[in-house]
Amino acid sequence: MKKIINKNKNLIFLILILVIATFFRLYFNPMDIDDATIGYRVIENIASGKGFEYNSGEKVLSTSAPLHIIIISFFTYLGMDVIFATNALSLISALITIILVYFILKEINFENAGLIAAFILAISNDFVIYTMNGMETSFYTMLWMTSIYFFIKKKYSLTGLFLGLLVFTRVDGAMLAIALGLLYIFNHKKIPWKMAIIAILVFMPWIIFATSYFGSPIPNTLKAKQLQAGSDSTFFIRIFAFLYDETFLLLIPFIIIGLIKIFNKKEIWPIYFGSLLYLIAYTAIQIHGYIWYYIPLIPIIVIFAAIGITYVTKRIFSQKKIYSNLFLIIFMISIVATSILGMKHYKQKVDIKWESYKEIGLWFNQNTEPTDTIMFHDIGYVGDYSERYIWDYNLLIHKQEKDVTTKLSYPEFMKKYNPNYVLHLKKNVVDTIENSAPDYVGYELFKTFTDDFSYQTDDLRYKLNFKNYYYIFKRK
């Protein structure tokens, strides 16, 4: 029995890590973010036979993750709750990603680093929160890492299959497909026809369907997000702000060391070449750097950090294994502590607002006519629970005029589209800004919702009190 345990101890550790990962995701699971519930309404429309659309009768591709939407729609059609189905797929995908990171590092002879990386991914606050946020992020990240794993294993048919699924899930997955294709050409001096054909065959049916149904396979959200960002070209730079986080600040020195240690190792090239193209592409298309767009890079970052940690422990404690183990234990406890702090802060700041959006959506459902229209900038919860026609201030769900190059102001949008109700959110820091509703021509203030929350700073020295005001205006 002892021999069996010793022989399989790393797999036993990996199983324990997966149990920890599951616990963290279920215990700290926040409410799904507002953008996720935009997809929920599309999913419910598909499952009920109303079509692949947000507002009934309007064929607009209002999601950038069609495969994810289709999968959840199938389970919803079978009677599964949409939130449960989404979270179940996200959890399974996150666990598979953790397993893949371990085996990728094992494949390139860094098995111990694989266990460290798996543990960090299991409890890292951003990777816990944003792989359980109701969006396609976790599923997409899993497909990204699966494609890399099979490429490293030289299983190119399976690489093509998962690259096809990746691009089907989100078109930006093409960056990894291009990166792996170029690496194949560099390594083998020939074009990877088989890999490419399999990938194309997987996502081509969606291209054909989307072109015939929506008029284009390009998500409507792309131009909307570009308008929203206002030609923001800082996506690449924002990766450094993303690393300014409770957990990643501890990892930065080891990330640098890990990068230096394995930079010339050809087996690792698929890991960072695809990530580099991904960052360049997002910077080029000029959209805002929302944190969930950086999540697929976390496993890559953690791989470098884990390699750096193992290198440092071997160099410093080469003669004293007990000190090496003690250092790892203390370091991992620090990662756990900072991750818990980060998750606590996230729930403090965000969950209360989502609860308010849900309450307001239910109010609209119960106090307005089915034919009424509502305008807001965060349409997810409000649209899903109100079940009303939604005018999205960010135009994510509406076909846009070709000549539009700048975003309308709130009054300009109201004048152009004439919604029955307008929801306006005002965020106040208590004791610094007085409660005062805006004044809109042709509309009267009809109802006000408020929520209060407190935020404790990391050093526990300051407690900030906030109040959000949600003003509902009705057309006169």
Side-chain angles (χ1 to χ4, degrees):
M1 183 67 177
K2 190 175 180 180
K3 287 182 179 180
I4 295 173
I5 291 173
N6 287 333
K7 187 179 179 180
N8 299 286
K9 64 179 182 180
N10 281 357
L11 288 178
I12 293 170
F13 283 138
L14 182 59
I15 292 169
L16 289 174
I17 288 169
L18 295 176
V19 171
I20 293 169
T22 302
F23 169 77
F24 265 72
R25 280 156 180 77
L26 295 180
Y27 184 78
F28 290 103
N29 186 12
M31 287 183 68
D32 296 336
I33 66 172
D34 194 70
D35 284 48
T37 52
I38 298 174
Y40 289 175
R41 179 154 153 171
V42 176
I43 288 165
E44 288 157 355
N45 282 338
I46 295 171
S48 61
K50 295 178 181 177
F52 204 123
E53 50 203 45
Y54 184 87
N55 284 322
S56 295
E58 295 186 357
K59 294 182 177 181
V60 179
L61 183 51
S62 54
T63 176
S64 57
L67 179 58
H68 183 260
I69 292 288
I70 291 167
I71 291 171
I72 303 301
S73 298
F74 173 74
F75 287 109
T76 304
Y77 174 76
L78 294 179
M80 193 177 291
D81 177 73
V82 62
I83 297 176
F84 177 84
T86 305
N87 283 324
L89 180 60
S90 294
L91 175 59
I92 292 168
S93 298
L95 296 180
I96 293 173
T97 299
I98 292 169
I99 293 169
L100 286 166
V101 165
Y102 167 77
F103 280 104
I104 285 171
L105 282 165
K106 183 180 179 182
E107 189 68 24
I108 59 175
N109 299 316
F110 285 97
E111 187 170 5
N112 289 337
L115 286 175
I116 293 171
F119 182 78
I120 294 172
L121 288 176
I123 53 89
S124 171
N125 55 302
D126 282 338
F127 201 65
V128 171
I129 290 167
Y130 288 98
T131 54
M132 295 294 289
N133 66 354
M135 296 183 69
E136 79 289 342
T137 311
S138 185
F139 181 66
Y140 177 84
T141 304
M142 181 270 293
L143 293 174
W144 182 286
M145 297 308 297
T146 306
S147 302
I148 289 174
Y149 174 72
F150 283 123
F151 187 85
I152 291 173
K153 292 282 289 183
K154 296 182 171 58
K155 296 184 182 295
Y156 299 118
S157 295
L158 286 171
T159 303
L161 171 64
F162 282 96
L163 285 174
L165 294 173
L166 182 71
V167 177
F168 191 168
T169 302
R170 247 174 41 195
V171 69
D172 53 25
M175 294 303 101
L176 182 63
I178 292 169
L180 297 186
L182 291 174
L183 283 172
Y184 184 96
I185 293 170
F186 179 80
N187 292 331
H188 300 276
K189 313 303 181 199
K190 61 180 181 180
I191 297 173
W193 290 113
K194 189 175 182 181
M195 187 172 80
I197 289 169
I198 291 173
I200 291 169
L201 288 175
V202 170
F203 68 78
M204 186 54 68
W206 167 253
I207 300 296
I208 295 169
F209 168 79
T211 303
S212 62
Y213 191 86
F214 302 109
S216 170
I218 305 300
N220 181 74
T221 53
L222 177 58
K223 185 177 180 182
K225 288 176 180 178
Q226 288 174 322
L227 286 174
Q228 189 178 358
S231 299
D232 185 351
S233 300
T234 61
F235 191 92
F236 201 115
I237 298 171
R238 285 174 184 267
I239 187 69
F240 300 103
F242 171 68
L243 291 173
Y244 188 73
D245 168 85
E246 288 95 343
T247 302
F248 291 116
L249 281 175
L250 288 173
L251 296 177
I252 286 175
F254 301 102
I255 294 168
I256 295 169
I257 293 168
L259 269 167
I260 295 170
K261 175 67 179 172
I262 61 167
F263 186 78
N264 292 323
K265 198 174 179 69
K266 290 180 79 171
E267 297 95 323
I268 212 78
W269 287 1
I271 293 177
Y272 53 72
F273 190 25
S275 303
L276 183 62
L277 281 184
Y278 181 89
L279 284 169
I280 292 171
Y282 265 97
T283 303
I285 61 176
Q286 298 183 328
I287 66 173
H288 186 70
Y290 291 110
I291 191 168
W292 49 86
Y293 292 135
Y294 295 101
I295 299 305
L297 303 178
I298 288 184
I300 311 300
I301 293 167
V302 169
I303 283 173
F304 297 140
I307 292 172
I309 291 167
T310 54
Y311 177 74
V312 168
T313 53
K314 283 182 179 179
R315 293 281 294 182
I316 296 177
F317 307 110
S318 57
Q319 304 299 320
K320 301 281 187 178
K321 190 172 182 180
I322 187 170
Y323 294 151
S324 172
N325 292 337
L326 184 61
F327 169 78
L328 285 174
I329 290 169
I330 294 172
F331 188 79
M332 290 307 166
I333 290 173
S334 302
I335 295 290
V336 171
T338 54
S339 294
I340 291 174
L341 183 66
M343 286 181 272
K344 179 175 175 285
H345 282 178
Y346 179 87
K347 289 177 74 68
Q348 278 182 331
K349 292 185 289 184
V350 176
D351 276 10
I352 290 175
K353 187 168 75 168
W354 301 155
E355 289 283 5
S356 296
Y357 283 177
K358 181 178 175 180
E359 180 186 356
I360 293 167
L362 290 170
W363 182 89
F364 276 122
N365 180 271
Q366 297 162 8
N367 295 277
T368 62
E369 297 298 323
T371 55
D372 283 336
T373 59
I374 302 165
M375 170 192 159
F376 192 39
H377 70 278
D378 282 344
I379 64 170
Y381 279 99
V382 172
D384 194 33
Y385 284 91
S386 69
E387 299 179 352
R388 297 294 181 264
Y389 185 97
I390 298 296
W391 281 111
D392 175 22
Y393 176 64
N394 292 316
L395 295 173
L396 295 171
I397 60 172
H398 307 295
K399 285 188 177 178
Q400 295 155 51
E401 299 165 15
K402 293 181 179 179
D403 59 342
V404 174
T405 57
T406 57
K407 194 173 180 180
L408 297 174
S409 67
Y410 235 59
E412 289 171 336
F413 193 101
M414 293 163 67
K415 183 178 180 181
K416 183 171 183 177
Y417 296 107
N418 203 28
N420 297 107
Y421 292 89
V422 174
L423 179 59
H424 179 102
L425 167 62
K426 184 176 182 181
K427 303 176 184 179
N428 284 356
V429 179
V430 177
D431 301 330
T432 63
I433 303 177
E434 294 182 2
N435 171 24
S436 57
D439 185 25
Y440 293 126
V441 176
Y443 287 81
E444 60 181 348
L445 182 62
F446 191 70
K447 188 171 178 61
T448 302
F449 289 83
T450 62
D451 61 41
D452 300 271
F453 68 96
S454 300
Y455 179 73
Q456 189 82 46
T457 58
D458 290 354
D459 56 15
L460 304 180
R461 289 187 299 166
Y462 303 105
K463 187 175 183 180
L464 304 176
N465 298 309
F466 295 85
K467 183 184 287 286
N468 289 331
Y469 294 91
Y470 305 87
Y471 302 112
I472 296 177
F473 296 88
K474 184 178 180 180
R475 193 175 66 209
K476 293 178 181 178

